[in-house]
Amino acid sequence: MTSSEASKTWLSQDAYDRLQAELDELIAARPAVAAEINARREEGDLRENGGYHAAREEQGKQEGRILYLKEFLRKAEVGEAPSADAVAPGTVVTIYFDEDKSDTETFLLGSREIAATTDYTVYSPESALGKAILGAGPGQTVTYTAPSGADIKVTVVEFAPFGG
C-alpha cells in the first residue's frame, strides 16, 4: 500500500450513502432555517432577540456540517481499502495491553464519520493510539503517551480491512 492509499478515507457503500443522505437533508433544510431566521428577525430588537441568535447559530452549525460533509465525501474512496502488510486507516485492529495477552481490545482505526456504520469502537489515526500503531505489523509492540500522561504499551495481534 502506498502512503497516498494509507492516507485516504475508505468508506463502505452503505456508509457513503448514509453520509450523502445526511448532506442532502441538510441542504434541503436550508430554506426552513432561513425562514426561521426571518421570522425571528421580525420579532423586534435584534440585540435582545434570543430566538434570532439561536436560529443564526443553528444555521452556522448546519452550514459548517454541509461544508465538512461535501469535502469529506469528495475525498473519500468507496469500497474496500487495499490489503496492507501494516496497520493503516480503515483496518480493524486487535491489540493487547502491557504484555497481558488476556487484556485485548478490537477496534476500527478510521474516521469518526464511520462510527455510525459499525458496532466497533472507532479510534482516529490522529489519536495517540492511532499514531502509535500506524505502520505496525502483527506481533509488533509500540508505546504511546495517553492524554493522561501515562505511557502505555500495546502489541498488535492482528488486523484486517474493514468491511463496513
Side-chain angles (χ1 to χ4, degrees):
M1 176 181 303
T2 67
S3 62
S4 65
E5 288 174 332
S7 65
K8 289 181 182 176
T9 299
W10 292 89
L11 294 174
S12 65
Q13 186 64 54
D14 183 50
Y16 182 90
D17 292 345
R18 286 184 201 184
L19 292 172
Q20 184 63 54
E22 178 186 350
L23 176 60
D24 294 342
E25 285 178 27
L26 288 170
I27 290 171
R30 278 176 164 164
V33 172
E36 176 72 15
I37 291 170
N38 286 334
R40 298 294 180 186
R41 182 181 293 128
E42 294 174 4
E43 290 177 356
D45 188 354
L46 296 182
R47 291 175 294 178
E48 297 178 10
N49 189 333
Y52 170 79
H53 293 291
R56 291 283 305 195
E57 185 175 322
E58 186 59 34
Q59 180 188 38
K61 289 177 186 177
Q62 180 179 328
E63 290 301 317
R65 182 72 176 157
I66 287 170
L67 290 173
Y68 175 81
L69 286 173
K70 281 182 175 180
E71 185 66 9
F72 183 81
L73 292 172
R74 184 182 70 78
K75 290 182 175 179
E77 294 288 333
V78 178
E80 283 191 33
S83 61
D85 54 359
V87 173
T91 54
V92 176
V93 183
T94 301
I95 59 172
Y96 63 83
F97 294 90
D98 295 322
E99 301 177 8
D100 180 359
K101 292 183 180 183
S102 66
D103 185 11
T104 64
E105 182 176 2
T106 300
F107 57 89
L108 172 61
L109 186 65
S111 166
R112 65 186 172 101
E113 299 300 331
I114 298 173
T117 68
T118 181
D119 291 333
Y120 287 110
T121 299
V122 178
Y123 289 107
S124 167
E126 290 81 32
S127 68
L129 173 59
K131 287 179 184 177
I133 64 172
L134 274 176
Q140 187 172 351
T141 300
V142 297
T143 302
Y144 70 96
T145 303
S148 66
D151 285 337
I152 300 174
K153 188 180 342 179
V154 297
T155 302
V156 175
V157 176
E158 62 185 1
F159 60 91
F162 175 61

